[in-house]
Amino acid sequence: LDSLVSSVSLASSQLRTGLLLAAAVMLLLNAGSFALLATGPREALERKTDAMDEDFYLSLIREAAEGHTILGNSSFYEHRDDRSIVTFFPLIPGLLMRFFGLELPTVLLFMDVLFPFLNTLLFFIAFKGLFKNTFVAAVATLLALSAWQGGLMNIVNPKMVMTLAAAHLALFF
């Protein structure tokens, strides 16, 4: 019974470390967005880059918000309605907008908070299982997240797609 209690307290301590790391990374990545909240969520949206993939994902999110859940790639002439994993992810913010009546900037800010937090926590859980050392797991998590450099703040890819990889690693290890 004592070993069970000690293993539960050890697991909760490691989970607490993972949650703190995830919160720190999320706060660090979103510090600018949180500062912009004083001026309103629209300002946070306007600070996004003018990258072509963001226009593509924003159009898919708006399509999903209007109730069109079969999302394809409008830049293709043939196979434009073929599904891919990347066209699945705009459904998440789009359906949040539709069902909860949220505006696009608010949903995008929520995604900026949620997915970096989830990615960090899932990578930490995976690396903790792999390395068995909390410090090494934290460093490995930060290295895995830094491999995408600024990509964690893009609207969909790789921020949301990375969650699948992190969840797979967390279940594997």
Side-chain angles (χ1 to χ4, degrees):
L1 185 64
D2 290 335
S3 65
L4 179 63
V5 170
S6 66
S7 67
V8 167
S9 67
L10 180 63
S12 67
S13 163
Q14 294 166 354
L15 181 62
R16 219 177 4 255
T17 303
L19 288 170
L20 286 172
L21 179 66
V25 167
M26 181 270 303
L27 288 171
L28 180 66
L29 289 175
N30 288 291
S33 294
F34 290 144
L36 286 173
L37 276 178
T39 58
R42 289 217 179 274
E43 290 291 324
L45 178 63
E46 291 171 5
R47 300 270 308 187
K48 298 285 184 188
T49 66
D50 293 329
M52 199 157 105
D53 63 337
E54 289 197 11
D55 291 337
F56 170 69
Y57 290 123
L58 284 172
S59 66
L60 290 179
I61 290 169
R62 286 198 175 100
E63 284 284 320
E66 292 172 2
H68 307 150
T69 57
I70 305 296
L71 302 175
N73 189 339
S74 60
S75 62
F76 292 144
Y77 182 72
E78 294 181 19
H79 306 289
R80 101 177 36 227
D81 292 329
D82 288 352
R83 303 289 304 246
S84 75
I85 192 68
V86 176
T87 58
F88 164 76
F89 286 108
L91 289 173
I92 298 169
L95 294 177
L96 281 174
M97 287 172 60
R98 183 167 180 83
F99 292 124
F100 295 108
L102 300 172
E103 292 185 12
L104 180 63
T106 305
V107 170
L108 293 179
L109 190 60
F110 177 69
M111 296 292 117
D112 283 348
V113 169
L114 177 67
F115 281 97
F117 182 85
L118 282 176
N119 291 333
T120 305
L121 183 61
L122 290 171
F123 273 126
F124 178 79
I125 290 169
F127 291 131
K128 180 64 180 121
L130 178 65
F131 296 120
K132 308 289 188 242
N133 182 308
T134 304
F135 179 75
V136 173
V139 170
T141 298
L142 295 176
L143 288 174
L145 293 173
S146 67
W148 278 273
Q149 297 172 357
L152 279 175
M153 298 313 290
N154 287 347
I155 290 178
V156 171
N157 191 18
K159 175 175 59 182
M160 292 183 186
V161 178
M162 189 190 314
T163 305
L164 287 180
H168 176 76
L169 286 173
L171 290 173
F172 187 67
F173 295 116

